[in-house]
Amino acid sequence: LSELTPEIRDAFYQSLKPPEPRVEPVSLVPDGYNKMKFNLSITKASITLVSAVQGTPILKSEFSGLKISSKIHSGISVWGSLQSFRVKDKFTPNTHFPYMIAPTRSSDEQPLVKFTFDLNPPNS
């Protein structure tokens, strides 16, 4: 029978202890309460991809009518829409097809894209 070193004995006793009970924080806020709201609306914006070597534009993406809203409650809810999106070729000179991606409808119709995302939605 061999004796245990103090370090091994302490580690062994620690492993025999039951884990501390987990205490959930008590919230004074009701479940349906919104802790934060966020609204973003962008009328028009563009992003240009530029060549690192020559410094000339390669692609230009343009979007309009971007709307994003969110609520933070016991979870997160995000929804939004995008009216128009297009990608313009800036690399090819004198191209007959300057837009690589473009909508085929008028801009006063329904949005091009609508989305909704819920993480831990209320009443679920």
Side-chain angles (χ1 to χ4, degrees):
L1 200 56
S2 65
E3 289 191 30
L4 299 175
T5 64
E7 294 85 18
I8 294 175
R9 185 185 65 230
D10 291 344
F12 176 71
Y13 287 142
Q14 286 294 330
S15 68
L16 294 177
K17 284 186 179 178
E20 292 290 324
R22 185 173 175 200
V23 178
E24 294 292 327
V26 176
S27 174
L28 301 176
V29 179
D31 284 341
Y33 181 78
N34 294 322
K35 296 175 185 166
M36 185 176 83
K37 286 185 176 184
F38 171 79
N39 292 312
L40 172 70
S41 181
I42 298 177
T43 306
K44 225 176 217 187
S46 66
I47 299 172
T48 303
L49 179 65
V50 178
S51 168
V53 177
Q54 299 167 340
T56 57
I58 298 173
L59 294 174
K60 182 177 182 180
S61 64
E62 304 166 341
F63 59 91
S64 63
L66 176 66
K67 294 179 182 176
I68 298 174
S69 298
S70 71
K71 280 194 290 189
I72 297 178
H73 38 82
S74 57
I76 299 174
S77 299
V78 179
W79 60 96
S81 64
L82 178 64
Q83 194 68 33
S84 175
F85 177 75
R86 59 181 71 196
V87 176
K88 190 171 188 178
D89 178 8
K90 297 293 228 169
F91 184 73
T92 311
N94 301 322
T95 181
H96 291 290
F97 304 101
Y99 288 100
M100 301 168 72
I101 300 172
T104 58
R105 56 184 184 73
S106 67
S107 62
D108 57 342
E109 295 177 16
Q110 291 291 320
L112 178 67
V113 176
K114 283 184 173 182
F115 63 89
T116 303
F117 172 78
D118 280 319
L119 179 65
N120 190 20
N123 303 325
S124 61

